[in-house]
Amino acid sequence: MRADHATAVHDRGSMTNYRADYLTMEAISAMPFKSLGHDVLIHERVTLVGIENISIGSHVRIDPDVILLATGSLTIGCYTHIASGVFITAKAGFEMKNFANIAHGARIYTINDDYSGAHLMGPTIPADLLSLSPGPVLMEEHASLGAGGIVLPGVTLAEGSVLGALSLIGRSTEPWTMYGGVPARPIKQRRREAIRIGQELLESSRFSENTVR
C-alpha cells in the first residue's frame, strides 16, 4: 500500500529515504472515507480511527505519526497540512477549513472529563459514571496552530488567526490575530492578503493539478 520507493526518491530531489513512504492515491481511494478529494498524501504511519466519519478535500498532506480519532465528524479542507505527531480527538466534531495548517505535535481535544472529583474519569469507566463536557473545534480558513499548541473543547480558531508554538487556548479567537502563551492572549494583528491569494488559487486551473509534495 505504500508509494513506489523510486517515485518517492524522485519527488524528493533524488534523496535516499527510510520509513518515509506515503500511501498511493489508489490505496487511499480504497479506504471508506466519507468523502475524498484529489492530490492527497497520507503517510503509512498515520493512525485513522473511524474512517467513515472523515472527509478530506483536495491538496492535503498528513505526515507520519498523526492520530485522528474520528469517533465523531472530522473534516479536512483543501490546501491543508497536518504535520507529524499531531493528535486530534473528534468525538464532538472537528473541522479545519481551506488553507488551515497544524504544526508538529499539536493537540486538539473536543471532550473533557469532569476534574472536580465528583465523577470517575478515563476511557475504561462505564459511561453512566462519567461526566463529560463536549465541544466541537473549528479552524476557519487560513487559521494556523503552532507546534505543540493545545486547543481545548469548544474553541473556534477564527479566520486567519494563529496560535503560537507551545500555547494553550480555551476560548475562541478573533479573526486575523496572533495568540501566544498559557493561557493564550492576543499578540498582534495579521495582514489579510492571503484571502485574495487563496481565492484566486481555488478558482484557477492549478486547483486540478497535483502539487502536494
Side-chain angles (χ1 to χ4, degrees):
M1 296 177 68
R2 66 183 62 183
D4 179 77
H5 178 70
T7 301
V9 169
H10 176 74
D11 289 345
R12 290 162 177 79
S14 298
M15 295 185 293
T16 300
N17 304 301
Y18 174 69
R19 297 182 70 201
D21 291 318
Y22 286 78
L23 300 173
T24 63
M25 196 63 202
E26 179 183 9
I28 295 171
S29 298
M31 297 181 185
F33 288 104
K34 186 175 182 179
S35 63
L36 180 67
H38 68 276
D39 193 25
V40 174
L41 276 182
I42 300 176
H43 197 275
E44 61 179 15
R45 297 204 317 271
V46 169
T47 298
L48 302 172
V49 175
I51 296 176
E52 296 85 354
N53 295 325
I54 300 175
S55 301
I56 300 179
S58 298
H59 310 293
V60 174
R61 195 179 94 193
I62 305 176
D63 288 341
D65 304 318
V66 168
I67 300 176
L68 302 180
L69 301 182
T71 50
S73 175
L74 194 156
T75 302
I76 300 169
C78 298
Y79 291 106
T80 53
H81 175 224
I82 302 177
S84 60
V86 169
F87 174 83
I88 301 173
T89 174
K91 187 176 182 66
F94 169 75
E95 180 179 4
M96 57 186 301
K97 294 190 174 183
N98 299 340
F99 305 108
N101 291 280
I102 305 175
H104 173 79
R107 302 287 187 266
I108 296 174
Y109 300 96
T110 64
I111 195 162
N112 253 344
D113 281 294
D114 175 9
Y115 296 99
S116 69
H119 301 86
L120 296 177
M121 300 188 301
T124 63
I125 303 300
D128 62 304
L129 301 179
L130 297 169
S131 179
L132 302 176
S133 300
V137 170
L138 170 63
M139 294 181 67
E140 295 189 339
E141 291 193 351
H142 303 283
S144 183
L145 176 54
I150 298 176
V151 179
L152 298 181
V155 168
T156 293
L157 295 179
E159 180 187 74
S161 62
V162 173
L163 181 66
L166 302 177
S167 299
L168 180 148
I169 195 157
R171 295 183 178 180
S172 297
T173 63
E174 294 296 322
W176 296 95
T177 304
M178 297 179 64
Y179 290 77
V182 180
R185 294 179 172 84
I187 298 172
K188 61 183 294 186
Q189 297 294 304
R190 299 182 67 210
R191 297 167 63 178
R192 305 192 181 206
E193 285 89 340
I195 298 175
R196 174 186 56 80
I197 298 170
Q199 190 59 39
E200 289 175 353
L201 179 58
L202 288 173
E203 295 172 354
S204 74
S205 60
R206 300 173 70 182
F207 183 78
S208 63
E209 299 173 357
N210 290 333
T211 59
V212 176
R213 60 193 185 282

